[in-house]
Amino acid sequence: MDDDDVFKALADPSRRMLLDRLCEKNGQTLGQLCESMDMKRQSVTQHLGRLEQANLISTVRRGREKLHFINPVPLYEVYERWIRKFEEGRLSLLHDLKQQLERNKK
Amino acid sequence: MTDKSASFVYVTFIRTTPEKVFEAITKPEIARRYWGHENVSEDWQPGSSWQHVRTDEARTVDLVGEVIESDPPKRLVISWANESQKDDPDQYSRVTFDIEPQGDLVKLTVAHDELQPGSGMLNGISKGWPQVLSSMKSFLETGQGFDL
């Protein structure tokens, strides 16, 4: 399980859609997810397997049901490594702009 | 009856030992280094209370609850409520930490359930847990947590 798995798992529109479905309603069964996907049950199962392998979803058995939960932890790690840096740049840009404008006012 | 059907399950794999993960949750001097908070309890035994205390000067207590189950270093179950809502039993949710070794990694599963759909707490934790768990992983693997 590494970054490669995460990016590969995300590089598929059906898998991203499955994550969207879980964002809307967390903790769904395979049956529930199949209802909202225009796709064979077997394909949904395969996609869920890839997502679980990348740790983007986790599953919990509750009685006879297996529930699927979105697991955003690896996404947060991607954010922390690849996105936050750029946001900081933007924030410091805003900060500089504010200072510049305020200085001009004086 | 209050609807407390919302739940989340978070998983992270950390290159460390179950003991270190358990300590990272329950030892204030460790939690403060990656969580921005300390989790404080007298003995972390079932029935004891715990508090989630900010590490600033004011030492604000943000969350309170009770230890429900404790089996170090494998499992910890606690109740969880905003300090400001501590007198309302409906506001208490439940957090379960499961810690299991998997090869040279430790699988940490945090299940947060008995949450009210649409509640402020639900909103807060859906952002909060991924940050905290990523930061814990980074801290245990590299000695450096994130700025939370």
Side-chain angles (χ1 to χ4, degrees), chain B residues 54-121:
Chain B
R54 242 182 269 173
T55 50
D56 58 8
E57 293 256 310
R59 308 268 316 155
T60 313
V61 177
D62 282 330
L63 302 164
V64 298
E66 211 175 81
V67 180
I68 298 167
E69 208 183 310
S70 176
D71 181 13
K74 286 187 292 200
R75 191 173 156 89
L76 179 70
V77 187
I78 56 180
S79 64
W80 175 289
N82 276 321
E83 207 279 334
S84 56
Q85 297 173 315
K86 65 179 174 199
D87 296 326
D88 180 357
D90 280 346
Q91 299 301 331
Y92 280 82
S93 51
R94 185 179 63 174
V95 176
T96 304
F97 299 90
D98 276 306
I99 304 163
E100 43 180 322
Q102 279 200 2
D104 54 353
L105 299 174
V106 173
K107 180 183 184 187
L108 168 63
T109 306
V110 177
H112 198 149
D113 53 17
E114 298 181 5
L115 287 153
Q116 294 184 40
S119 62
M121 180 59 86

Side-chain angles (χ1 to χ4, degrees), chain A residues 45-62:
Chain A
T45 307
Q46 272 177 6
H47 285 310
L48 289 172
R50 287 293 295 274
L51 289 168
E52 188 166 13
Q53 196 191 335
N55 196 26
L56 286 165
I57 61 169
S58 54
T59 55
V60 173
R61 287 216 160 271
R62 220 159 269 167

Side-chain angles (χ1 to χ4, degrees), chain A residues 47-95:
Chain A
H47 285 310
L48 289 172
R50 287 293 295 274
L51 289 168
E52 188 166 13
Q53 196 191 335
N55 196 26
L56 286 165
I57 61 169
S58 54
T59 55
V60 173
R61 287 216 160 271
R62 220 159 269 167
R64 281 164 48 200
E65 290 186 322
K66 188 175 173 188
L67 306 180
H68 300 77
F69 290 85
I70 184 167
N71 181 39
V73 180
L75 291 177
Y76 190 81
E77 281 153 18
V78 168
Y79 165 78
E80 187 66 35
R81 178 168 167 196
W82 295 105
I83 300 174
R84 187 145 122 162
K85 290 179 213 173
F86 305 111
E87 280 190 346
E88 269 162 16
R90 212 165 56 207
L91 288 178
S92 78
L93 214 67
L94 271 176
H95 176 79

Side-chain angles (χ1 to χ4, degrees), chain A residues 1 26 55 71 76-77 80, chain B residues 8 10-11 131 134 146:
Chain A
M1 173 169 338
N26 215 355
N55 196 26
N71 181 39
Y76 190 81
E77 281 153 18
E80 187 66 35
Chain B
F8 283 94
Y10 300 105
V11 179
Q131 293 182 8
S134 306
F146 300 150

